Amino acid sequence: MTRRQALDRARELMVAKNIESAALEAELLLRYILEIDRAQLYTDLDLELTPRQEKSYHRSIERRLQGEPSAYITGHREFFGIDFFVDENVLIPRPETELLVEQTIIRSKNYAAPLIADIGTGCGTVAISLALNLPDSRIDAVDISGAALAVAKLNCRKHNVQDRVRLLVGNMLGPLPEPADIIVANLPYVRSAELPRVNTIGFEPPLALDGGRDGLDAIRAFCFQLREKIKPSGCLLMEIGVGQKEAVTDLLAGIFPTGHIEVIPDLNGIDRVVGLSLSQ
Ligand SMILES: C[S@@+](CC[C@H](N)C(=O)[O-])C[C@H]1O[C@@H](n2cnc3c(N)ncnc32)[C@H](O)[C@@H]1O
């Protein structure tokens, strides 16, 4: 079977299972099996696969057809232009979370050598993207899952930021040894009743997604801990889900009546990041 035939077949099977971006996923998995980049793949689409390559590709397509996300099959996901290791202990980083990183970089200009806290770091995407783009920053990255932090540790080593990213296991802001200039958070915010509709359900850890009845259990608990761990001149950037803007901004306004609150939409126009500045 040639590369072209393998791609066509995989795409057809995925389309039949209503998998979005079937062509892209078929290509991603074939590149993973062949260990080649896009240009190398398309240079000669009529090359024959070896029997071993054919078998491995078939196996990975079968896993994808069973619903397993391709990021868990390949063990990698790109975020903010950076390659991260992922496994079933961590949420697969979402493109909309890049907004959190962009907004943190913008606000970091207000601080010399900022101390940043990333709460709910998962595989470390936000913390490591910030460390790589803000060379004067230090980052405390917290997660309640030790298994997730093991993946974050691998990613810190891969990107050589282990000296500036401190990984801390524990509940929300509890493990932070000192207040931070900037607190960034992407905590679970999916309503429990909506979990079955998440397309990766059964594969991603519920701990990373489940926000309780109204989706705000973790965010609420986090906001009530904030005062202790944010500097008086500090700011907060937090990712939220669809329809959560009012509840979260009301909550923050109640806790920080003099703080300046703004909401930033993602590229789809969904209110995605809530910002709070204490110094304005
Ligand atoms: C939505 S995921 C975000 C992961 C990562 N920041 C990203 O954007 O890809 C939420 C993360 O929060 C962690 N988490 C859940 N409850 C927590 C808690 N009480 N304290 C700290 N981390 C928590 C989960 O283990 C998970 O890694």
Side-chain angles (χ1 to χ4, degrees), residues 115-130:
L115 175 60
I116 301 173
D118 172 26
I119 310 302
T121 196
C123 69
T125 39
V126 172
I128 293 168
S129 303
L130 290 173

Side-chain angles (χ1 to χ4, degrees), residues 79 89-94 97 118-126 142-145 148 170-172 186-189 207-209 218 239:
F79 176 88
N89 294 301
V90 297
L91 182 100
I92 299 165
R94 306 292 202 265
T97 304
D118 172 26
I119 310 302
T121 196
C123 69
T125 39
V126 172
V142 179
D143 207 287
I144 201 162
S145 160
N171 187 21
M172 312 250 174
N186 182 16
L187 286 162
Y189 56 68
L207 184 61
L209 293 165
E239 184 168 318

